[in-house]
Amino acid sequence: MNPHRLWPFAAFLVPAILGVIIFQLDSFDPAPYPAGELSQRKPAAAAAPSRNGRMLEGSERIGVGRLWGPEDIAYDPKTGIIYTGCVDGWVKRVTVNESSAADSVVEDWVNTGGRPLGLALGLHGEVLVADADIGLLNVTADGRVELLADEAEGVKFKLTDAVAVAEDGVLYFTDASWKYSVKDFIWDFLEGRPYGRLLSYDPNTKQTKVLVKDLFFPNGVVVSPDQDFVIFCETPLRRCKRLFIKGERNGSIDVFIENLPGMPDNIHYDGEEGIFWIGLVTEYNLGSEIMQKIPLVRKVLGVMEKYKVRPNMERNGGVIAVDFEGNPVAHYYDRHSLLITTGIKIGDHLYCGFISSEFILRLNLTHNVTTLVNG
């Protein structure tokens, strides 16, 4: 046999053997999701009657090059200032130019020294910050940073994610994972075990309580306008749950919305039209379904992640609007829009934040009615 003919075969066989050996020796052990936890793949169940699949058309960008990874957005209606946390540790203040988004003013306000994610405006002008690396923070109006909590029941927060403020001052927030940090969050998704918690912090007693544990990457959180319940999103399970905090159902939990068309992140209530706005990081497709249902696939992806060769599966990020009963109303998305983490309606505009992009996106909803209906 001509030895030169063996080279192509050897060139394939050797890497294949090495790959099998690495796979077998790798200690990463993803778990199957518990039976019944994964929603059935029925996108129509949560399909909005109005959709805009080209939300980038006609949109504007705010703070290009100044806002790196504006993961969440908090708005102060009294001052018109937008607050957002960026990957460089800065909580930034944005004064939006209504006529020209490009001329908006971005100010470095406070640097937490960590990774600020979820934000909420406090009752007295303060800003509450869920800092993934540090914990739950209070930033006073004059820029002083105070650590409120960084552990509960003896377990340190690893990925403090989102925060909301009730009218009585109690803070509701999430620790998305007590095992993985924000830099390693993809491993929480790949492993498929419930390491997340929903918590509360009472500023009067300074007590931190675990309200719900064993959650699958609990993300955004919001208090209902009637203060009866708290909604929180479980990203990999494509659903938002509801914990009742008052009334006859106090302490009970149900599903607010499931079968979302994408992976939910932050959730905001608009305060005007009775609509909750949920950021969808990426769509849910056949690849997502296979990955979730087959642990072996997630192990393969985990090995690939270690060697920086995991394929990019994220696309069609967007925002879905849901009414008070959990019914989808409108869905804004775009195939080129990746990793949208938040959507908040301010006036006639939808403002979107991202985990990695370098700007905030602004979409005029009144100018996109035709696209919305026909898109």
Side-chain angles (χ1 to χ4, degrees):
M1 178 179 292
N2 187 340
H4 294 290
R5 294 182 177 179
L6 296 177
W7 282 113
F9 178 71
F12 166 78
L13 184 61
V14 172
I17 293 175
L18 289 175
V20 171
I21 293 174
I22 292 172
F23 180 83
Q24 292 294 333
L25 295 178
D26 195 282
S27 60
F28 181 58
D29 181 31
Y33 282 92
E37 288 288 0
L38 287 179
S39 299
Q40 298 299 314
R41 188 168 181 263
K42 298 177 181 177
S50 298
R51 294 187 295 277
N52 178 351
R54 299 185 297 274
M55 66 177 292
L56 293 185
E57 296 181 10
S59 63
E60 303 170 277
R61 297 183 177 189
I62 297 172
V64 176
R66 293 291 310 280
L67 300 173
W68 289 93
E71 201 269 350
D72 194 17
I73 295 171
Y75 174 65
D76 185 348
K78 295 180 180 179
T79 63
I81 291 176
I82 284 176
Y83 295 86
T84 188
C86 296
V87 72
D88 54 8
W90 282 100
V91 176
K92 305 205 176 191
R93 295 196 295 198
V94 183
T95 303
V96 176
N97 187 310
E98 290 296 333
S99 59
S100 174
D103 294 326
S104 299
V105 177
V106 178
E107 172 193 359
D108 293 343
W109 182 46
V110 171
N111 196 304
T112 66
R115 188 5 172 155
L117 294 178
L119 305 174
L121 196 68
L123 302 182
H124 308 290
E126 71 275 22
V127 176
L128 288 310
V129 180
D131 189 296
D133 298 328
I134 299 176
L136 183 64
L137 306 176
N138 180 82
V139 183
T140 62
D142 59 0
R144 290 183 294 109
V145 181
E146 174 191 5
L147 175 64
L148 300 180
D150 62 358
E151 67 175 3
E153 297 183 350
V155 179
K156 281 275 191 180
F157 306 156
K158 194 75 171 182
L159 208 169
T160 323
D161 202 322
V163 58
V165 184
E167 290 180 355
D168 61 3
V170 174
L171 311 181
Y172 295 90
F173 65 104
T174 55
D175 179 25
S177 176
W178 53 257
K179 181 176 181 179
Y180 294 103
S181 69
V182 66
K183 295 180 180 178
D184 299 321
F185 76 92
I186 188 63
W187 292 99
D188 191 282
F189 287 68
L190 294 175
E191 184 173 335
R193 290 185 171 89
Y195 295 124
R197 300 177 290 176
L198 174 68
L199 309 102
S200 67
Y201 175 84
D202 189 331
N204 294 317
T205 63
K206 301 188 184 305
Q207 288 188 333
T208 304
K209 295 181 180 180
V210 178
L211 303 178
V212 189
K213 58 178 63 176
D214 299 328
L215 297 171
F216 290 89
F217 208 88
N219 214 316
V221 58
V222 67
V223 182
S224 67
D226 58 11
Q227 306 294 294
D228 282 350
F229 56 84
V230 174
I231 299 173
F232 58 93
C233 303
E234 282 187 287
T235 301
L237 300 186
R238 297 187 297 128
R239 70 186 180 193
C240 298
K241 281 187 169 180
R242 179 170 53 180
L243 168 67
F244 287 86
I245 55 176
K246 287 183 180 179
E248 295 181 356
R249 301 184 63 183
N250 185 23
S252 65
I253 301 173
D254 66 8
V255 175
F256 177 67
I257 184 172
E258 59 184 341
N259 294 322
L260 285 164
M263 306 295 183
D265 201 300
N266 291 305
I267 178 171
H268 290 278
Y269 184 72
D270 64 15
E272 298 176 358
E273 301 172 0
I275 298 296
F276 294 96
W277 297 84
I278 306 171
L280 301 177
V281 180
T282 181
E283 71 173 2
Y284 184 78
N285 53 34
L286 181 58
S288 307
E289 181 181 16
I290 292 173
M291 180 188 73
Q292 283 191 322
K293 292 186 175 180
I294 306 177
L296 180 62
V297 172
R298 280 185 272 125
K299 178 165 184 176
V300 171
L301 291 173
V303 173
M304 296 175 74
E305 178 70 21
K306 288 184 178 180
Y307 293 93
K308 310 300 181 184
V309 293
R310 182 177 64 87
N312 186 347
M313 302 172 62
E314 294 82 15
R315 65 177 183 177
N316 281 324
V319 180
I320 190 167
V322 179
D323 68 19
F324 198 79
E325 302 300 323
N327 302 306
V329 175
H331 184 194
Y332 298 83
Y333 60 99
D334 196 290
R335 61 176 300 190
H336 301 294
S337 186
L338 301 177
L339 306 181
I340 290 182
T341 48
T342 197
I344 180 171
K345 185 176 181 291
I346 303 173
D348 293 332
H349 293 88
L350 175 63
Y351 290 77
C352 299
F354 302 80
I355 190 63
S356 58
S357 296
E358 56 172 337
F359 55 84
I360 287 175
L361 190 76
R362 183 173 78 168
L363 182 68
N364 190 321
L365 299 182
T366 63
H367 292 174
N368 285 268
V369 175
T370 301
T371 307
L372 173 62
V373 174
N374 300 324

